[in-house]
Amino acid sequence: MAHVSLKKYSQVRASNIAEMAPYEQINLIFSNIIGRLAATKGFIERKEIEKKGENLSACILLLGALQDALNLEVEQDPSISDNLLALYAYCQRKLTQANINNDIEAVVEVSSIIKEIKEGWDSIPADQRNPAV
C-alpha cells in the first residue's frame, strides 16, 4: 500500500499540483509522508542507509510544508493550528532521531500520528474543503 501512495505521488506533475485545490494538496502531502515512512521502515531493515536518509529528509521537508500551510490567524480556534504546529515539530524531531539511530519505532510512531491527522483531514465535509476566496 505504501508503494501505491508513493507511486501515485510521483506521477503527479508540478503543474497538476498548482491546479489542485488546497485541500487536495494537503491530502497529497499526508499520503506522501505516509508512503515514504512505510518505505523507510524497509530501508532501515535492509540497511539501505542512503535511501533511508533521503526519505526521512523528504518527510521532514513535507512536515515543514504542512507547518507553512497552517492558518495561525484563524479566529475560530487558533489552538488547533498551534497544536498542529507543535505536533509537526515533534514529528520532525522524532524523524531526525530516527535517521541518526536507525529507529524503526520512531518512524512507526510518526506514521501513526500522521495517519491520525489525515483521518481527521479526510473527515472534513466535502462542502467545507474548498473555502471561498
Side-chain angles (χ1 to χ4, degrees):
M1 184 164 145
H3 295 291
V4 173
S5 295
L6 209 48
K7 220 179 213 181
K8 197 172 173 183
Y9 179 80
S10 65
Q11 292 172 351
V12 176
R13 297 190 193 286
S15 61
N16 295 71
I17 293 172
E19 295 168 5
M20 290 178 160
Y23 174 87
E24 295 168 327
Q25 291 175 353
I26 298 299
N27 206 29
L28 184 63
I29 292 172
F30 283 134
S31 295
N32 190 8
I33 292 171
I34 292 166
R36 284 182 175 276
L37 291 177
T40 298
K41 286 175 20 186
F43 294 146
I44 292 171
E45 290 166 352
R46 293 186 304 274
K47 300 186 184 338
E48 296 180 51
I49 303 307
E50 186 175 338
K51 289 181 181 179
K52 172 214 58 168
E54 290 171 0
N55 258 10
L56 289 176
S57 293
C59 289
I60 290 167
L61 289 173
L62 289 167
L63 285 161
L66 290 174
Q67 287 172 316
D68 291 344
L70 290 172
N71 185 352
L72 299 174
E73 298 174 12
V74 174
E75 293 178 22
Q76 296 165 332
D77 190 357
S79 67
I80 294 172
S81 293
D82 291 342
N83 290 339
L84 284 171
L85 186 66
L87 197 53
Y88 295 149
Y90 171 80
C91 289
Q92 288 173 316
R93 287 190 305 275
K94 286 299 278 189
L95 293 180
T96 299
Q97 292 170 354
N99 196 18
I100 293 167
N101 300 317
N102 293 318
D103 186 352
I104 290 177
E105 288 180 26
V107 171
V108 169
E109 178 186 352
V110 171
S111 182
S112 176
I113 291 168
I114 298 303
K115 286 177 183 176
E116 190 170 337
I117 295 170
K118 185 179 183 318
E119 284 176 19
W121 186 256
D122 290 341
S123 70
I124 295 173
D127 63 335
Q128 295 179 17
R129 291 180 179 179
N130 299 313
V133 179

